[in-house]
Amino acid sequence: MRFCLEVWGTDYKKIKETCILAEKLGYYGFYYGEALAPIDLDCWTVISSLIALTNKIKLGPVITYLYPQYRNIALLAKQAATFQEISNGRLEFRTGAGATPQYAVQWWHPYGIDYPKESVRVSMLREGVEVLNSLWNQHEEDNDATSSKYPSIHYNGKFFRISGASPFILNTGAKFTKAKIPITISAKKSLMLRLAAKFADIWEASYLSPHEFEILNLEYERINQEMNNEVNKTNMLTDRTRTGTTKSIEIDVIIADSDSELEYKKKLFTMERGPSSHSQILKHGLIGTPEKVAERVKEYTDTGINQFLLAFHEPFDLRALELFADAVKGI
């Protein structure tokens, strides 16, 4: 079972201390928010700085955006390939179509970036992942590793274009050492579930109860089976084997030693997020003392989940990280 942290904020000292402790406690991943807004530092600079301070914990963005107005796709591909090489294969590349305009416009409009409607964002994501896979050349076995010549890449999409570029395969002497970059795709709606089924190594859903995830998982598996049947009928080669995909849930966490401390933390959360958040977090969160949280985690794992992306109420509450790590030992 994998337990990962979702972290945000601008205090680099706390970010660094939290990441180092997370690795010590056995957390699988440490993922930092990406935003132009002042709630975060620059994501890729921060996670790159953590490579030399850690040894095994996975690193990556909470979500990185594939919007042409925001960042050149080839530059992002090279940044990711370089990160994967320097970190010895510890990058988790996490992406999705983004939040609803109700929430997201405020993050992009002040910086002169138009936030597209949902159908456009989904199309951008599909093209972007196709380009990234091409530039990372994830089928190295098709090439002669001793050759300096690789097929040039051409891609003529609506949003992204590549005209004769070389793949970003990093070479150490005569041996290629770059590990495959795993892709996480966040998805809950039908079109996004199809993208996740086709391209994702990790499929992630956000803020669902165990019962809600169980229902969504049935739909995801139905789409998987449908796509496998299509492949079998046409004998097409696929980009990935659509079996054994890791299934992840993004979820809020409030954990405390005592009931009185727990109530205090819940009140703080409600004050920060608004009254409507109280019932939602009780339904969709890991809330309670360590024993209760462990029981709740088991409810989720019974639905087929094998990874948790944990958004602690206070991401730098080191005691809470320790309590949670102790609570889920052996799960």
Side-chain angles (χ1 to χ4, degrees):
M1 189 59 56
R2 301 173 176 178
F3 297 100
C4 311
L5 298 182
E6 175 180 338
V7 179
W8 62 93
T10 58
D11 188 328
Y12 178 69
K13 181 179 179 182
K14 289 182 178 180
I15 295 167
K16 178 176 65 175
E17 289 174 348
T18 303
C19 184
I20 292 171
L21 177 64
E23 180 173 73
K24 182 179 179 181
L25 293 173
Y27 285 91
Y28 177 82
F30 184 91
Y31 308 136
Y32 181 69
E34 180 173 50
L36 288 174
I39 58 172
D40 288 318
L41 303 171
D42 174 64
C43 172
W44 286 87
T45 303
V46 169
I47 61 175
S48 295
S49 75
L50 298 173
I51 293 174
L53 303 175
T54 55
N55 296 298
K56 60 182 181 180
I57 195 168
K58 300 290 185 178
L59 301 167
V62 171
I63 183 171
T64 200
Y65 299 97
L66 309 185
Y67 300 160
Q69 258 193 301
Y70 177 49
R71 178 170 40 206
N72 179 276
I73 193 76
L75 173 61
L76 178 60
K78 189 164 189 177
Q79 286 175 321
T82 303
F83 188 104
Q84 184 74 332
E85 181 74 5
I86 294 173
S87 68
N88 194 28
R90 289 194 283 144
L91 174 63
E92 296 283 321
F93 191 91
R94 301 171 47 82
T95 190
T100 61
Q102 175 185 356
Y103 298 103
V105 168
Q106 62 183 318
W107 305 330
W108 298 99
H109 179 74
Y111 301 94
I113 297 174
D114 297 325
Y115 192 68
K117 62 182 181 180
E118 182 179 18
S119 60
V120 174
R121 299 198 311 273
V122 172
S123 295
M124 284 180 176
L125 180 66
R126 177 185 56 79
E127 285 193 14
V129 172
E130 289 174 347
V131 170
L132 289 172
N133 276 327
S134 296
L135 289 172
W136 291 335
N137 197 20
Q138 293 182 352
H139 299 289
E140 291 99 327
E141 66 274 9
D142 296 334
N143 300 307
D144 178 3
T146 62
S147 173
S148 61
K149 293 184 178 180
Y150 282 78
S152 58
I153 298 164
H154 296 267
Y155 188 92
N156 187 26
K158 182 176 180 180
F159 305 103
F160 301 103
R161 291 177 176 81
I162 301 294
S163 302
S166 299
F168 296 130
I169 296 290
L170 303 183
N171 187 358
T172 304
K175 183 179 180 182
F176 291 88
T177 59
K178 181 177 70 64
K180 178 181 182 295
I181 298 174
I183 297 176
T184 296
I185 294 180
S186 177
K188 288 198 287 189
K189 294 183 179 181
S190 181
L191 285 177
M192 286 297 298
L193 287 173
R194 292 189 69 85
L195 282 183
K198 182 174 183 180
F199 294 113
D201 300 284
I202 302 169
W203 163 51
E204 186 166 275
S206 300
Y207 307 113
L208 299 175
S209 68
H211 179 64
E212 289 169 338
F213 181 85
E214 192 170 27
I215 294 172
L216 190 63
N217 187 37
L218 289 174
E219 175 65 7
Y220 179 76
E221 289 300 335
R222 185 195 67 77
I223 291 171
N224 257 333
Q225 186 59 52
E226 178 185 301
M227 296 178 74
N228 282 333
N229 291 341
E230 291 172 1
V231 169
N232 291 337
K233 287 180 181 178
T234 59
N235 293 318
M236 291 188 303
L237 294 177
T238 61
D239 294 323
R240 54 174 294 274
T241 302
R242 288 190 292 274
T243 56
T245 303
T246 298
K247 297 175 181 179
S248 178
I249 183 87
E250 179 184 18
I251 196 165
D252 285 310
V253 181
I254 300 179
I255 188 170
D257 279 307
S258 65
D259 289 333
S260 59
E261 184 187 1
L262 181 65
E263 288 304 312
Y264 173 71
K265 287 187 173 184
K266 285 162 64 175
K267 287 180 181 178
L268 287 179
F269 183 91
T270 302
M271 290 171 61
E272 292 173 3
R273 303 276 187 97
S276 62
S277 66
H278 184 77
S279 60
Q280 288 298 309
I281 191 175
L282 290 178
K283 182 181 179 182
H284 301 141
L286 301 176
I287 316 299
T289 58
E291 296 78 12
K292 293 294 184 182
V293 166
E295 292 173 5
R296 185 67 164 168
V297 167
K298 183 64 165 57
E299 291 179 28
Y300 278 99
T301 60
D302 286 345
T303 69
I305 287 171
N306 40 28
Q307 177 172 291
F308 290 79
L309 177 62
L310 307 170
F312 280 78
H313 164 239
E314 167 47 62
F316 306 124
D317 183 348
L318 303 186
R319 176 58 182 159
L321 300 188
E322 293 171 344
L323 284 175
F324 187 93
D326 287 339
V328 298
K329 279 182 179 176
I331 294 180

